[in-house]
Amino acid sequence: MIQATRRPRPAGLYVHVPFCARRCAYCTFVTSTDLDQIGRTVDALVTEITRIAGSSRRELATVYLGGGTPSLLPRPELERLAAAIRNGFAVLPGAEVTLEANPDDVGETTVAAWAALGVTRVSLGVQSFADPVLEMLNRRHTAAEARSAAGRVQASGLQLSIDLMLALPGLHRAALDATLEETVTLVPDHVSVYLLETDKPHRLGELAGLRPDLFPSADESARQYLAAGRALVSAGYRHYEISNFARPGCRARHNTRYWLGQPVLAAGVAAHGQAGRRRWANHDQLPAYLEAVETGRAPRAWTRRLGADEAVREALMVRLRLARGAPAELVERCSGLAPAFAERLEEFFSLGLARRVGNRVRLTPRGWLLSNELLATLW
Ligand SMILES: C[S@@+](CC[C@H](N)C(=O)[O-])C[C@H]1O[C@@H](n2cnc3c(N)ncnc32)[C@H](O)[C@@H]1O
Ligand code: SF4
C-alpha cells in the first residue's frame, strides 16, 4: 500500500550575516567588525543551511538575510549562500527574499547582482535624513547617500523598505519632520519605525544614563511616534504593526510569519527559529557558533517546547502587535490565565487604548506605546 506522506507547510528561512564595517552607537545586534572572518562564516552558514535542509527540499515562502549587514558580503560569498539555499530548498515562485542593506553598500551593479541572485526586497537602514543625527549614531553614510541608495533599489525594480529611528538625541521636531517628508517623497513600499531602546547595553544607552537631558522625554518620544504614524498614514501607508507601515500589498511577509506563529527556520549565530510550539536559538557568540558547525554539531544554544498556556500567552502577545489585533477568544483565554491582564485590558478599553472590533481586540497606536505595561501582566 502506498502511504500518503504529508508535505510540511512552506516555511520562512532567516539567515544571520553577523558583520558590520563599524559598530553604530545604538546597536545590540550580534555582529563583528572582524571582516577577515567572513569566508569562514559563510562556509559555516553553507554547512548549516545544507544540514537544516536535509533531503526534503522543503518549500520556502520567504527568505530573510539579516544582520549585521548582509549588503557587506562580497558577491562570491553571497552567491555561495544563495546557492546553498537554492540547492537545499524549493524557493517558491513569488517568494519574498529580503536583504538588509546599509546605504553606502548600494551601488548600481550591487543591486543588479542581488536581483540576479533572487533578492526581491531590500531593507535599507536609513535611520534619519539629518546628517548631524547620522553622525551622532556613528552611521557610515550621509542623508544624500541614503537618498541615492533608495533610488537605486527602486530603479532596479526591487521592493524597498526603509528603517527609521525615533527618540534619538538631537532629533528635534524640524529634523523629524524633514525625515518624514523625505521618506514619503521617496515612496518606499514599506517603512519600519523604531523608538531607540535606551535600556540596552550600547553606547547611547550609557549616555542616556549619564546625560538624560540630551534625550527626548518619554512624552516627546511618544509624540514623535504618533507624528510618524500620522505622516505615513496620511501618505497612504497602512500602520499594520506596532513598528511597521506598508503600501497596499507590501507588508513584510517574512516578519508577519513571526507574528502569526508560522514556521521559520534559522541559520547563523544568534538566529532564532520557530515551528508549532517548538522554539530554538543558536549560540550567540561567533566563535562558539563556528566551532559547533565545524565539528559537525548543531550550533544550538537551546531548544524547547512551549507549554500549552505559554503558547497561548505568546500568541496573544505577538498578535496584539498587529493592527488587526487578536481574536476575542484568545483574549478571553488569556484573561482566564492572568486576571491582572483582564483588569489592565479593561483600563485600556476605558482609556481608548484598545478597542473591540467585531470579534477581535485591537490596540490603538497610543495603546501600542503603552503595550509593555499591558503585556507585563500576562506572565
Ligand atoms: C540589523 S539592522 C539593519 C541593517 C543594517 N545593518 C543597517 O544598519 O543599515 C536593523 C534595524 O534595527 C534598528 N535598530 C538597531 N538597534 C536599535 C536600537 N537599539 N533601538 C531601536 N532600533 C534599533 C535600526 O533601525 C536598524 O536599521
Ligand atoms: S545598526 Fe546595522 S550597521 Fe549598525 S551596528 Fe547594527 S547591524 Fe551593524
Side-chain angles (χ1 to χ4, degrees):
M1 196 171 80
I2 300 172
Q3 269 203 333
T5 48
R6 204 146 53 94
R7 213 176 155 69
R9 280 192 292 163
L13 172 67
Y14 175 79
V15 180
H16 191 73
V17 179
F19 296 101
C20 295
R22 70 184 197 213
R23 188 91 181 148
C24 303
Y26 53 85
C27 186
T28 52
F29 284 91
V30 175
T31 72
S32 158
T33 49
D34 181 2
L35 305 189
D36 291 341
Q37 295 288 323
I38 288 181
R40 184 176 167 204
T41 303
V42 172
D43 286 346
L45 281 171
V46 167
T47 305
E48 192 192 6
I49 289 167
T50 308
R51 191 187 51 77
I52 296 170
S55 55
S56 65
R57 282 191 64 75
R58 181 149 184 199
E59 291 175 336
L60 292 181
T62 62
V63 177
Y64 196 101
L65 302 174
T69 313
S71 56
L72 255 191
L73 285 183
R75 187 170 168 169
E77 302 294 4
L78 195 59
E79 275 169 5
R80 290 205 295 137
L81 270 189
I85 296 169
R86 252 195 336 264
N87 294 337
F89 295 94
V91 181
L92 290 172
E96 176 192 89
V97 181
T98 304
L99 178 133
E100 280 186 345
N102 197 305
D104 48 323
D105 294 327
V106 185
E108 250 161 65
T109 51
T110 23
V111 194
W114 296 340
L117 287 175
V119 170
T120 62
R121 182 173 181 273
V122 172
S123 171
L124 195 63
V126 171
Q127 321 310 349
S128 169
F129 281 108
D131 281 333
V133 173
L134 292 172
E135 216 171 289
M136 178 274 303
L137 294 177
N138 200 30
R139 294 293 289 175
R140 283 191 285 150
H141 58 89
T142 60
E145 281 173 302
R147 220 170 286 133
S148 49
R152 282 187 185 134
V153 171
Q154 288 170 315
S156 69
L158 299 187
Q159 286 214 1
L160 172 69
S161 179
I162 282 183
D163 284 350
L164 297 178
M165 288 180 72
L166 308 178
L168 301 168
L171 183 64
H172 303 299
R173 193 49 73 86
L176 174 65
D177 288 348
T179 290
L180 293 171
E181 209 176 301
E182 284 241 27
T183 303
V184 165
T185 308
L186 286 169
V187 203
D189 302 285
H190 188 274
V191 182
S192 300
V193 175
Y194 301 111
L195 287 168
L196 173 70
E197 299 167 324
T198 45
D199 55 344
K200 297 270 170 72
H202 50 67
R203 267 193 286 148
L204 279 190
E206 268 169 45
L207 184 64
L210 298 169
R211 293 287 311 272
D213 53 302
L214 296 177
F215 289 74
S217 64
D219 282 352
E220 174 54 21
S221 302
R223 268 194 293 276
Q224 291 189 359
Y225 175 78
L226 296 172
R230 275 193 305 274
L232 291 166
V233 168
S234 62
Y237 290 83
R238 176 96 209 276
H239 192 173
Y240 71 99
E241 195 264 351
I242 185 166
S243 304
N244 288 292
F245 298 79
R247 294 207 291 144
C250 299
R251 293 174 191 209
R253 280 154 53 195
H254 182 82
N255 291 346
T256 300
R257 301 186 73 84
Y258 297 105
W259 305 320
L260 295 182
Q262 295 167 340
V264 181
L265 309 173
V269 58
H272 283 59
Q274 61 180 39
R277 273 160 57 184
R278 207 160 63 81
R279 301 286 178 274
W280 65 93
N282 280 349
H283 294 303
D284 63 3
Q285 300 291 320
L286 188 56
Y289 168 80
L290 291 173
E291 200 198 308
V293 178
E294 288 167 355
T295 53
R297 288 176 291 125
R300 207 65 89 232
W302 54 263
T303 174
R304 68 191 196 91
R305 190 174 148 79
L306 300 179
D309 289 350
E310 202 182 355
V312 167
R313 288 175 159 110
E314 191 204 83
L316 179 65
M317 217 169 83
V318 288
R319 278 167 187 71
L320 284 178
R321 296 180 63 100
L322 294 166
R324 64 196 293 260
E329 189 206 351
L330 186 59
V331 174
E332 273 156 32
R333 283 178 72 184
C334 286
S335 299
L337 292 171
F341 169 78
E343 268 173 44
R344 187 58 62 86
L345 182 61
E346 280 310 318
E347 280 170 30
F348 268 55
F349 283 131
S350 61
L351 294 168
L353 301 171
R355 287 186 296 145
R356 290 186 183 88
V357 181
N359 64 349
R360 301 187 77 85
V361 171
R362 299 177 177 176
L363 297 185
T364 64
R366 282 178 196 279
W368 277 326
L369 275 168
L370 297 169
S371 55
N372 283 346
E373 276 180 33
L374 173 67
L375 298 174
T377 60
L378 259 180
W379 301 94

